[in-house]
Amino acid sequence: MNEFLTFVFDLIVVILRVAIPVFSVIILIKIYSSLRHNRRDERPLIMLFDDYEKKAIPVLYWENSIGRSKRCDVFLNDSTVSREHAVLLRRDNGWIITDSGSKAGVFVNGEKITGRTNVYLNDKIRIGSTTLVVKRAEEFEGASRRSWFFKPEGKKSISPKRLLALITFFFIMVSAEACLTKESISTGIIDLKPFIYGLVVIAIMWVTYIITSLGFKRVNFEIESLAFFLTGIGVMLSVHQSDRQTNVQLAAAVVGIVLFEFLIKFLEDPDRVSKFTRWIYIASLGLLAINLIFGERQYGATNWINIAGVSVQPSEVVKVGFIIVGAASLDQLQTKKNFLIFIGFSALCVGALALMGDFGTALIFFATFLLLSFMRSGDFKTLILAVTSAVFASTIVIRFKPYITKRFEAWGHVFEEPYVWDTGMQQSRTLVYCASGGLFGVGIGNGFCKELFASESDIVIGIVCEEMGIIVTLVLAIAIGALVFYARAITTRSRSTLYSISACCAAGLLVIQLSLNIFGATDILPLTGVTFPFISAGGSSMISCWGLIAFIKAADERTYAVRKKGLFSSSEI
């Protein structure tokens, strides 16, 4: 190639190599800053007035537990009230109260209720010896509750179009860098295939935005923007590995987006979700059963099914069902039967995965089970018993599964003989390639980590670090990790415990999976063989990741851009 052109291309590559990490940081800040500026109304929805003590109690949530336990949303210091006595919840047809199986029962205007019962303004609710009168929210004179996450009103957040324009420009830069590899510059033959794939990602992103904003009347697009940001990077990193793999990633992303939209619509009504929970329970176990019977063994685990030449992992789809079964509306959570069913379902899922030999995914399910259990019950005794049982089971597994034993033996010794040439070779090489990438990376397509076994999945962190640099790697990790804080923040005004629990647990599952992938590949933990969310190659993984963030999106009240009916509060009309 002409020396001047070579100089120009080299200069462009240097600029791109610095600009891409900088823009990735800007995009991350803009997304989460926008999420923080979109503050929810934190004023009470209605008020309950204690007739005897002459005390006003603000009702802050769509679902509120009432009882003698200090964990209840409406705490009553009354010895005749059960620890978890009743649930006051809001639905489209108004406010409803239901008994949580208390001894004394619940009375509305002097009549004992059975099942869900509507309550209206000035109705008197008797719980134990305490009488609560339903009042408008405007009659409450106390201070409104402030969230630690959301910023006060003032500075406006970035508009969805500007955010997408920023991400579009980022993908154009990434695509250009992927085209200008060392080989293409030296030979003078520029391969435009990466640029075409980049344009496809951009097109899918904008089409999704147009459909959701015009068709579904959505007013926000931050969560989707974050998912597209991660998805696009994963696609671009696979371009120089395999055309088939890249096409699968794109196709899976489209399927994942469809699942994302379907779940948001499905989750609109918590009661509808509850009606279908049993069928989701059966379908999830059915998928795992099919996997056990017809699964093909790959890399030590029989968690793959081949359909028309395409390999799928049913366990990835079951992650979505697992969270739906684990979450529920508050009046259903406060029943022992519901909780026991969930424990049995979790045990069957984890047991099936263990029989397949997919212990990495089994660990993710178990950790998510602990998170779900704690959010449902807050009972540490249950968690301690579950962890103790898991440790005992893990000891037996390690004893009778030689390949897992080898991974534990190599843990912390991957640079030592004989592990450096055997069990620890993937991790030791990954660490070397991570270090060689530096802050800005060697450029997409110029790395050597992609030559390692399972580099596109289990140890993809090596490719990211080597080719895009440590800055982009940290951005990707923080982008997923920060979802936990956002999910926790939006639950304070969530419309149902179904959203609170599912959003937190979906975010938690993604972070657990991310941690196992990064820490396993870098020898901080034994290698488990799980994927990096959105980044690792794998159609099933991509689909499940889009499905999981649907829970976070659904928990955000802004998702439903419709005017709610005013229910005892003129501020909501």
Side-chain angles (χ1 to χ4, degrees):
M1 181 182 287
N2 182 283
E3 288 187 8
F4 176 73
L5 286 177
T6 302
F7 170 77
V8 171
F9 282 129
D10 285 339
L11 181 61
I12 293 172
V13 168
V14 171
I15 294 172
L16 290 174
R17 207 159 291 173
V18 175
I20 287 172
V22 171
F23 268 79
S24 70
V25 173
I26 293 172
I27 289 170
L28 179 65
I29 292 172
K30 289 294 184 181
I31 288 173
Y32 278 100
S33 177
S34 183
L35 289 171
R36 292 192 67 196
H37 281 298
N38 283 298
R39 188 184 186 92
R40 252 69 64 201
D41 187 359
E42 294 172 336
R43 290 169 294 181
L45 301 173
I46 58 171
M47 181 187 74
L48 297 176
F49 188 76
D50 189 328
D51 230 4
Y52 179 76
E53 295 192 3
K54 305 301 178 184
K55 180 177 68 173
I57 304 172
V59 175
L60 302 174
Y61 312 121
W62 286 57
E63 294 182 355
N64 307 266
S65 55
I66 304 174
R68 188 163 42 87
S69 170
K70 291 186 177 180
R71 292 183 306 177
C72 288
D73 302 308
V74 178
F75 167 66
L76 300 178
N77 190 17
D78 183 345
S79 59
T80 63
V81 174
S82 301
R83 290 182 60 81
E84 293 176 334
H85 198 112
V87 171
L88 179 65
L89 61 154
R90 172 176 166 171
R91 290 295 182 262
D92 289 339
N93 61 341
W95 286 91
I96 298 167
I97 193 164
T98 180
D99 193 341
S100 296
S102 64
K103 293 181 180 179
V106 177
F107 295 80
V108 175
N109 297 327
E111 294 186 11
K112 189 173 184 179
I113 68 170
T114 56
R116 290 185 172 186
T117 303
N118 282 87
V119 291
Y120 305 95
L121 281 175
N122 299 316
D123 276 357
K124 293 184 178 181
I125 303 171
R126 180 156 61 83
I127 297 175
S129 59
T130 301
T131 300
L132 302 171
V133 183
V134 181
K135 297 288 185 181
R136 292 185 182 276
E138 287 75 10
E139 297 182 41
F140 178 71
E141 297 178 352
S144 62
R145 181 173 176 173
R146 295 297 176 187
S147 169
W148 60 271
F149 181 87
F150 298 104
K151 291 184 178 180
E153 298 294 339
K155 185 179 178 182
K156 293 183 68 176
S157 60
I158 187 172
S159 69
K161 291 180 182 177
R162 289 181 61 187
L163 180 58
L164 290 186
L166 189 62
I167 296 174
T168 297
F169 186 64
F170 173 80
F171 282 145
I172 289 173
M173 290 193 296
V174 172
S175 302
E177 185 190 48
C179 292
L180 299 174
T181 60
K182 290 179 181 178
E183 182 181 355
S184 62
I185 293 175
S186 63
T187 60
I189 302 173
I190 307 299
D191 184 7
L192 295 178
K193 182 173 60 179
F195 207 86
I196 295 171
Y197 279 118
L199 291 177
V200 172
V201 172
I202 292 169
I204 294 172
M205 179 176 68
W206 279 100
V207 168
T208 303
Y209 169 68
I210 292 169
I211 291 174
T212 56
S213 60
L214 298 181
F216 302 146
K217 307 299 181 183
R218 301 270 170 75
V219 296
N220 59 320
F221 204 71
E222 299 97 345
I223 296 297
E224 293 96 323
S225 297
L226 183 67
F228 274 114
F229 173 65
L230 297 167
T231 298
I233 291 177
V235 169
M236 296 313 300
L237 287 172
S238 70
V239 167
H240 289 289
Q241 292 182 296
S242 165
D243 288 347
R244 184 180 184 278
Q245 176 182 300
T246 308
N247 292 332
V248 168
Q249 289 294 91
L250 283 171
V254 173
V255 175
I257 293 166
V258 173
L259 175 63
F260 173 86
E261 297 298 341
F262 168 78
L263 283 173
I264 291 174
K265 185 65 180 177
F266 177 66
L267 293 167
E268 275 185 5
D269 183 358
D271 293 335
R272 177 174 58 200
V273 176
S274 299
K275 291 177 183 178
F276 281 92
T277 297
R278 177 181 296 179
W279 296 108
I280 295 170
Y281 174 101
I282 294 170
S284 298
L285 292 180
L287 281 173
L288 292 177
I290 292 171
N291 207 156
L292 278 170
I293 298 170
F294 301 104
E296 297 180 2
R297 179 170 292 274
Q298 294 186 30
Y299 319 130
T302 54
N303 59 344
W304 297 86
I305 293 180
N306 196 297
I307 302 174
V310 178
S311 294
V312 296
Q313 281 185 285
S315 59
E316 292 291 336
V317 180
V318 174
K319 288 176 182 176
V320 175
F322 187 75
I323 290 179
I324 293 177
V325 172
S329 57
L330 189 60
D331 56 332
Q332 292 176 318
L333 290 182
Q334 292 185 353
T335 61
K336 291 182 179 179
K337 179 183 177 182
N338 188 288
F339 190 46
L340 290 173
I341 289 173
F342 171 62
I343 291 175
F345 174 68
S346 302
L348 289 171
C349 287
V350 174
L353 290 166
L355 289 174
M356 296 175 202
D358 190 358
F359 293 100
T361 305
L363 182 58
I364 292 173
F365 270 68
F366 179 70
T368 307
F369 162 75
L370 295 180
L371 185 57
L372 278 162
S373 298
F374 181 71
M375 291 196 69
R376 288 173 62 116
S377 66
D379 186 2
F380 281 102
K381 291 182 291 185
T382 303
L383 301 188
I384 293 170
L385 178 62
V387 171
T388 304
S389 303
V391 170
F392 177 72
S394 299
T395 304
I396 296 175
V397 168
I398 293 172
R399 174 70 178 81
F400 292 100
K401 292 287 184 179
Y403 73 96
I404 295 180
T405 304
K406 287 183 179 180
R407 289 183 181 179
F408 272 87
E409 288 175 350
W411 178 27
H413 306 283
V414 295
F415 284 102
E416 301 173 10
E417 296 280 0
Y419 308 113
V420 70
W421 304 111
D422 186 20
T423 313
M425 188 177 72
Q426 282 177 289
Q427 292 145 296
S428 61
R429 300 299 184 275
T430 298
L431 288 167
V432 170
Y433 293 132
C434 285
S436 67
L439 290 175
F440 304 106
V442 299
I444 296 176
N446 294 327
F448 296 98
C449 187
K450 59 179 176 287
E451 305 298 331
L452 290 177
F453 174 72
S455 61
E456 76 287 353
S457 54
D458 300 355
I459 55 173
V460 74
I461 186 70
I463 296 180
V464 180
C465 277
E466 183 187 20
E467 299 190 357
M468 301 193 76
I470 191 64
I471 295 176
V472 173
T473 305
L474 289 174
V475 166
L476 297 181
I478 293 171
I480 296 173
L483 284 173
V484 170
F485 298 101
Y486 177 65
R488 176 64 186 88
I490 58 178
T491 58
T492 58
R493 292 291 291 170
S494 188
R495 302 184 305 135
S496 171
T497 53
L498 171 73
Y499 300 110
S500 302
I501 294 175
S502 62
C504 286
C505 292
L509 190 154
L510 288 170
V511 171
I512 292 164
Q513 184 171 323
L514 171 76
S515 302
L516 290 176
N517 177 273
I518 293 177
F519 296 153
T522 55
D523 198 34
I524 296 174
L525 291 174
L527 188 63
T528 53
V530 299
T531 56
F532 191 125
F534 293 101
I535 305 299
S536 291
S540 302
S541 176
M542 178 68 76
I543 293 170
S544 74
C545 288
W546 274 95
L548 290 170
I549 64 165
F551 293 109
I552 303 172
K553 178 77 174 181
D556 188 343
E557 280 191 306
R558 298 174 303 137
T559 299
Y560 311 102
V562 293
R563 298 186 65 184
K564 306 183 188 74
K565 296 178 182 178
L567 298 175
F568 312 161
S569 172
S570 60
S571 64
E572 295 186 324
I573 298 176

